[in-house]
Amino acid sequence: MNVPLWAWLAVLAVIVLMLAVDLFAHRKAHVIGVREAALWSALWVALGVGFGALVWVLYGAELGQQYFAGYLIEKSLAVDNVFIWAIIFTYFAVPREYQHRVLFFGVLGALVFRGIFIAAGSAIIASAGWVLYLFAAFLLLTGYRMIRHRNEQLDPEESRLLRLFRRRVPMTNDFHGQRFLVRKKGVLLATPLLAVLALIEFTDIIFAVDSIPAIFAVTDEVFLVFTANAFAILGLRAMYFLLADLIHRFIYLKVGLALVLIWVGIKMLLKVDLYYIPTPLSLAVIALILGVSIGMSLWATRGQGPKAPPAPANPPFGTASAEEIAGLEPLWRRGSGAKAAAGQGRDGTGS
């Protein structure tokens, strides 16, 4: 697949433009309802599918099908991210109007880290083809472990990253609006929102370790791997607000995702030296597994309405009052004036 530099730049430009539009549309903190989330979800899916159609027209059916197989894998595995986000936001009692800002920067970081992982994975495969055996074994093991531990849930309180963050980074005990950083008495402090962002970013890196090898099982084209990842991830925020209160209904989805990982692991194992499973067949199997697992989940939980995950009795963080937020010092200061102000904040006299 010969992709000119301008095509890469065009894709990156579209991604940056859409992120800018999204950020502008949500510049004011507000609770995102189902209708708004559905409209944004439809827009992101249309963008991802439209790009796949363009690949199909310009490069042929085989590469178009590879893109859609990769997009479907990444989109389905991303649902697991949505469930984890719901647990994290609920545990930390993050106000719903601030959640989009956290997810915006979380997705931005995910795009950067996945781009790095994709570049590294492509270089490793090109220089040492035998690593595909390791990727295949990893996917099979991950699928098995996902089935075995399908009923286990993330416990944010036990997160080593959170404990390390709280130990190393000075932070407040209250949310201060959408701020990630505040200044009090001349001291720069992180807010709980920054700790939540760090935890969400870390969980996405963990998920990327699964999803990147999985997409390399259906396509070797770096351009398709990156674009399928990017267009699948861009719609995650809208998907979260659409599905956050329905996660209790997808009871068989984790089993379906595990079977998808096992399937693509088998495909990768066979294609090294034995047999290349045709892309249409691979795409059909992935779609069938996901369709059956989602259909069975919704059928088994029919009649159940939206329900938020259970909140802790004693949330670890509180919310600052409007008076406290209004009384915050400017976040960034300049020159000697900043030093003088900091000194005054420490001893109350400025001397």
Side-chain angles (χ1 to χ4, degrees), residues 34-59:
V34 174
R35 175 182 169 81
E36 182 180 356
L39 290 174
W40 276 98
S41 293
L43 174 63
W44 291 119
V45 170
L47 187 64
V49 172
F51 182 81
L54 184 63
V55 171
W56 194 306
V57 171
L58 295 179
Y59 291 97

Side-chain angles (χ1 to χ4, degrees), residues 5 18 22 36 51-52 57 76 79 89 92 114 120 130 170 176 190 203 207 213 269 302 310 314 317 334 348-349:
L5 178 60
M18 291 304 298
D22 192 348
E36 182 180 356
F51 182 81
V57 171
S76 59
V79 177
F89 282 143
F92 292 114
R114 291 187 182 226
W130 55 266
H176 288 72
T203 57
F207 278 108
L269 194 62
R302 61 191 182 279
N314 299 304
F317 303 116
R334 299 178 182 176
T349 64

Side-chain angles (χ1 to χ4, degrees), residues 57-126:
V57 171
L58 295 179
Y59 291 97
E62 173 62 23
L63 292 177
Q65 291 166 355
Q66 289 181 17
Y67 167 84
F68 280 115
Y71 178 79
L72 191 56
I73 289 173
E74 294 302 321
K75 200 71 171 175
S76 59
L77 291 176
V79 177
D80 227 12
N81 282 40
V82 169
F83 295 170
I84 298 300
W85 292 349
I87 293 172
I88 292 173
F89 282 143
T90 301
Y91 174 80
F92 292 114
V94 180
R96 298 199 71 154
E97 60 268 28
Y98 306 149
Q99 293 175 5
H100 181 274
R101 183 175 178 84
V102 176
L103 294 182
F104 177 87
F105 287 101
V107 167
L108 190 62
L111 286 172
V112 173
F113 281 115
R114 291 187 182 226
I116 295 172
F117 289 165
I118 290 168
S122 176
I124 292 172
I125 292 173

Side-chain angles (χ1 to χ4, degrees), residues 282-303:
S282 181
L283 180 59
V285 171
I286 294 169
L288 179 63
I289 292 174
L290 294 174
V292 170
S293 63
I294 293 174
M296 290 179 62
S297 297
L298 296 178
W299 176 259
T301 58
R302 61 191 182 279

Side-chain angles (χ1 to χ4, degrees), residues 83 150-151 246-255 293 296-298 300-301 304:
F83 295 170
R150 61 188 179 276
N151 295 322
L246 297 173
I247 60 176
H248 62 286
R249 296 197 59 188
F250 293 90
I251 57 176
Y252 300 124
L253 181 59
K254 182 157 286 190
V255 175
S293 63
M296 290 179 62
S297 297
L298 296 178
T301 58
Q304 298 184 20

Side-chain angles (χ1 to χ4, degrees), residues 14-35:
V14 169
I15 292 173
V16 171
L17 175 62
M18 291 304 298
L19 286 172
V21 170
D22 192 348
L23 185 61
F24 179 80
H26 299 93
R27 63 192 182 280
K28 294 183 179 179
H30 66 280
V31 177
I32 297 179
V34 174
R35 175 182 169 81

